[in-house]
């Protein structure tokens, strides 16, 4: 298996622009997670889906952030408009079942907002 | 509620020395506990996990951890550090009906 796939690996954009991060989970996994990692705040859970349904989005910082999972093999995290404080590494992870099984992480997307 | 505390944001050891990374948790349900490792510019990789059964869990790269319910701890150890062990290590606990809850991480440095 190719593991969790994220794209792009690096993104540099200007403040105010829309940013879309993409994730393909491991085939057969029914839970998908989006995390953000910064030096200041560490690893933060933003949102997670179970069977394509958002279960907990309490970690989404504000309305500028949105996430979708239209099918079992694809998810997006969108930031509109982006701000410099959104600069971070964004990880996607998947698991067989939320909480009971280990999560498998993608390589991350390093976002820089100028 | 569930939470994880990793004692020491940075641990330094010499090559060949014992590695001990501390993790304490709180959980209102029987805990599932995990240790992950993150190498520079990479995602997190599972080292080991405890769900039920044997309280001493062995993982990859010679690491092991012991679940101690009375101490609410799940410390990670390795008898002899190698230069390649230098990385950031995260402890995590299963949330009740939620995703994993991660600690803030401990950076391990290994000197020759």
């Amino acid at each position: 298996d190719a593991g969790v796939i994220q794209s792009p690996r690096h993104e540099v954009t200007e403040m105010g622009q829309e940013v879309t991060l993409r994730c393909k989970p491991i085939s057969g996994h029914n839970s998908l997670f989006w995390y953000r990692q910064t030096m200041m705040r560490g690893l933060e859970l933003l949102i997670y889906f179970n069977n394509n349904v958002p279960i907990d989005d309490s970690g989404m910082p504000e309305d500028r952030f949105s996430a979708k999972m239209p099918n079992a093999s694809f998810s997006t995290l969108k930031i509109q408009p982006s701000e410099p404080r959104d600069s971070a590494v964004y990880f996607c992870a998947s698991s067989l079942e939320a909480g009971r099984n280990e999560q498998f992480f993608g390589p991350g997307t390093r976002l820089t907002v100028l | 509620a569930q939470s994880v505390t990793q004692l020491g944001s940075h641990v330094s050891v010499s090559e060949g020395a014992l590695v001990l990374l501390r993790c304490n948790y709180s959980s209102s349900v029987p805990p599932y506990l995990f240790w992950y490792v993150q190498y520079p510019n990479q995602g997190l990789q599972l080292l080991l996990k405890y769900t039920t059964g044997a309280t001493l869990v062995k993982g990859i790269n010679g690491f092991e951890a012991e679940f101690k319910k009375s101490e609410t701890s799940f410390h990670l150890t390795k008898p002899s550090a190698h230069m390649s062990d230098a990385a950031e290590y995260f402890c995590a606990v299963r949330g009740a009906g939620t995703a994993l809850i991660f600690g803030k991480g401990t950076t391990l440095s290994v000197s020759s």
Side-chain angles (χ1 to χ4, degrees):
Chain A
D1 199 315
V4 176
I5 299 172
Q6 292 188 246
S7 63
R9 291 295 309 276
H10 302 273
E11 177 79 30
V12 180
T13 190
E14 293 188 347
M15 182 174 62
Q17 295 298 305
E18 177 180 299
V19 175
T20 299
L21 311 181
R22 297 172 176 80
C23 175
K24 176 179 170 55
I26 293 172
S27 177
H29 284 189
N30 58 13
S31 296
L32 182 140
F33 310 82
W34 282 102
Y35 291 90
R36 178 172 67 175
Q37 186 177 39
T38 62
M39 289 291 292
M40 290 295 292
R41 301 174 68 90
L43 191 64
E44 304 173 275
L45 176 66
L46 300 178
I47 184 172
Y48 84 94
F49 296 83
N50 208 30
N51 295 320
N52 311 337
V53 176
I55 302 301
D56 183 356
D57 66 353
S58 60
M60 295 286 262
E62 47 197 276
D63 292 346
R64 297 185 297 106
F65 286 69
S66 62
K68 294 182 179 179
M69 192 165 185
N71 57 62
S73 59
F74 184 66
S75 177
T76 60
L77 177 67
K78 184 176 294 185
I79 308 173
Q80 166 64 15
S82 59
E83 297 183 2
R85 58 192 169 119
D86 301 330
S87 298
V89 180
Y90 291 81
F91 288 104
C92 176
S94 69
S95 74
L96 281 172
E97 182 181 348
R100 291 187 176 274
N101 298 88
E102 62 266 34
Q103 295 178 18
F104 293 81
F105 281 74
T109 295
R110 183 173 296 277
L111 173 65
T112 303
V113 183
L114 303 175
Chain B
Q2 283 63 242
S3 67
V4 172
T5 302
Q6 290 185 241
L7 301 175
S9 59
H10 197 172
V11 171
S12 297
V13 300
S14 299
E15 194 171 22
L18 171 71
V19 175
L20 171 60
L21 304 182
R22 300 178 187 274
C23 173
N24 288 90
Y25 70 92
S26 67
S27 179
S28 57
V29 297
Y32 288 2
L33 296 157
F34 305 80
W35 274 100
Y36 282 82
V37 60
Q38 184 180 29
Y39 299 104
N41 300 314
Q42 295 187 25
L44 279 69
Q45 177 185 357
L46 181 72
L47 271 178
L48 50 81
K49 67 176 179 178
Y50 168 81
T51 53
T52 58
T55 57
L56 182 62
V57 181
K58 295 186 183 299
I60 62 172
N61 301 338
F63 285 93
E64 62 183 34
E66 187 171 10
F67 169 61
K68 292 186 176 181
K69 184 177 180 179
S70 61
E71 298 177 8
T72 60
S73 69
F74 192 58
H75 302 330
L76 182 70
T77 61
K78 182 174 180 177
S80 177
H82 192 272
M83 297 292 285
S84 61
D85 294 327
E88 188 161 16
Y89 292 79
F90 294 90
C91 182
V93 65
R94 172 186 71 161
T98 67
L100 298 182
I101 297 168
F102 285 86
K104 293 190 178 301
T106 298
T107 299
L108 175 65
S109 299
V110 182
S111 58
S112 57

